[in-house]
Amino acid sequence: MNALNIAIAAEFELCEKLTEFLAQSVLDIGRVSVVEIVPFNEEQGVRFNQRAVEQISPDEADWSKFDYLLFAGNAGHAPHMANAAEAGCVVIDMKGVSAAISGVPVVVPSVNDGDLTELWARNIVAMPDPQVSQLVLSMARFIEENRLNHVLVTSLLPASYTDGETVGRLAGQTARLLNGIPLDENEQRLAFDVFPKSAGNLTVQFQKIFPALNVTFHSIQTPVFYGMAQKVTALSDYELETSQLLNQWQHNDFIQVEERVITPVLNGETESDEETVKLHLGNLSAVENGIEFWSVADEQRFNLAFLTVKLLEKIARQLH
């Protein structure tokens, strides 16, 4: 197998996390390039295996020279993804921008890898939004083995879920308010406040994996810098066994079962010096004809970077 040429189209912070996991991968990677769909600052540069990574603009990209594109853009950047796919580059759409398109499989690594056979229709595979992938990983086997009526999810979104600029805005607002400096009248307040966000097409993405199950997503923006938390309730017509779900968690290499209450901040402190990341699950309990639990992950490092590289490894093994 020839060494792979990989393009990354993402903001700077996520590019750094992706190259971190690519460096740990079993893949033979010859070259990594960054396509700046979000322009970097002058001092921002990405390194892979201790070498500077080439940074090019989307208009300069010759997609035919790349084997894979790891794409983390928004709908406005979608033409670049389409151009890459048409040039023969296999695209991993990391945020589910293309998930609603017919012929594009939506895959969460280790859950529905068999759907990758549909990849070749468009040369694009979508990972779902981190809110969806976090839920799917926590419940996939349980959903398959139990007849559920409805799943309700409340996602507490950090600033990093939106982008690095929002992290900077949260930091700036926090500093200003602590120093008694009021915010501009029309400025969206992030610091010390919460507000609802649209769930978008999350249900569509989820039902591409589990089409028969009703799910409701509630998304809340919180004044947290990094790390997404979810409160999940699953309901049925009959009593559900918490021991069954706990056993499934304990045998999943992507999951860490927590005895204490894990939070995004505690998770960030715990994983800051570690090479591996996990989906942290706990507070599992029974409710009337159902179960509920608490879920925390670094949505940048785990749900996006780590899972993307795992999906890349699975596709590469099939192709080469």
Side-chain angles (χ1 to χ4, degrees):
M1 180 177 73
N2 295 329
L4 302 178
N5 291 331
I6 297 174
I8 302 174
E11 63 175 344
F12 170 71
E13 290 80 3
L14 183 52
C15 284
E16 285 195 311
K17 296 174 176 67
L18 282 164
T19 53
E20 171 191 346
F21 286 107
L22 286 172
Q24 299 173 22
S25 171
V26 297
L27 296 174
D28 180 11
I29 300 173
R31 178 165 59 96
V32 174
S33 301
V34 168
V35 180
E36 293 186 49
I37 55 173
V38 179
F40 291 3
N41 296 332
E42 186 176 344
E43 71 279 3
Q44 291 178 327
V46 176
R47 300 184 69 82
F48 174 70
N49 286 340
Q50 302 181 340
R51 293 184 178 181
V53 169
E54 173 191 34
Q55 297 171 208
I56 56 179
S57 72
D59 294 336
E60 297 172 337
D62 182 352
W63 298 113
S64 65
K65 293 183 177 179
F66 297 105
D67 300 296
Y68 296 94
L69 167 62
L70 311 184
F71 174 82
N74 56 37
H77 301 126
H80 302 305
M81 174 172 58
N83 291 338
E86 289 174 5
C89 182
V90 176
V91 179
I92 298 179
D93 173 13
M94 299 169 58
K95 293 188 174 181
V97 171
S98 62
I101 298 175
S102 175
V104 173
V106 177
V107 176
V108 176
S110 78
V111 173
N112 61 323
D113 299 338
D115 290 349
L116 287 173
T117 56
E118 303 172 24
L119 164 63
W120 318 121
R122 293 184 180 270
N123 257 13
I124 300 173
V125 57
M127 288 207 315
D129 183 279
Q131 294 184 62
V132 178
S133 60
Q134 189 158 319
L135 172 65
V136 167
L137 276 171
S138 64
M139 292 198 69
R141 282 189 58 197
F142 194 75
I143 291 170
E144 292 169 351
E145 296 173 4
N146 293 274
R147 185 176 298 173
L148 304 180
N149 290 338
H150 204 121
V151 177
L152 301 100
V153 188
T154 298
S155 299
L156 306 177
L157 307 178
S160 59
Y161 173 85
T162 304
D163 52 34
E165 180 182 348
T166 305
V167 174
R169 286 174 54 210
L170 174 58
Q173 288 186 5
T174 303
R176 285 156 60 192
L177 291 172
L178 287 174
N179 284 283
I181 303 172
L183 304 183
D184 297 338
E185 183 177 345
N186 297 322
E187 186 175 2
Q188 173 66 65
R189 180 164 177 158
L190 297 168
F192 308 110
D193 208 352
V194 298
F195 56 89
K197 296 196 72 173
S198 169
N201 68 345
L202 300 181
T203 298
V204 172
Q205 295 181 29
F206 179 87
Q207 290 183 334
K208 267 204 162 180
I209 303 172
F210 294 110
L213 180 58
N214 292 321
V215 62
T216 300
F217 286 92
H218 295 135
S219 303
I220 310 296
Q221 184 70 55
T222 66
V224 172
F225 288 99
Y226 297 93
M228 183 172 67
Q230 290 184 327
K231 182 68 174 182
V232 180
T233 302
L235 300 174
S236 177
D237 286 332
Y238 55 91
E239 183 178 347
L240 298 173
E241 294 293 333
T242 57
S243 59
Q244 179 189 12
L245 183 55
L246 180 61
N247 182 65
Q248 292 168 0
W249 290 352
Q250 291 170 335
H251 291 86
N252 190 322
D253 291 338
F254 291 176
I255 290 172
Q256 175 68 47
V257 178
E258 298 289 348
E259 296 183 359
R260 61 174 179 168
V261 177
I262 193 73
T263 67
V265 174
L266 287 175
N267 179 40
E269 293 173 348
T270 301
E271 291 187 345
S272 61
D273 297 325
E274 298 180 4
E275 290 186 353
T276 58
V277 294
K278 298 279 187 177
L279 170 58
H280 300 265
L281 301 174
N283 296 86
L284 177 62
S285 62
V287 297
E288 184 177 359
N289 286 349
I291 52 98
E292 64 180 20
F293 60 89
W294 178 249
S295 165
V296 173
D298 184 325
E299 89 293 340
Q300 292 278 311
R301 294 189 71 223
F302 179 79
N303 290 317
L304 292 176
F306 174 79
L307 290 183
T308 293
V309 173
K310 290 300 177 185
L311 184 56
L312 173 64
E313 290 174 349
K314 291 179 182 297
I315 296 171
R317 280 197 293 268
Q318 288 189 10
L319 280 179
H320 303 283

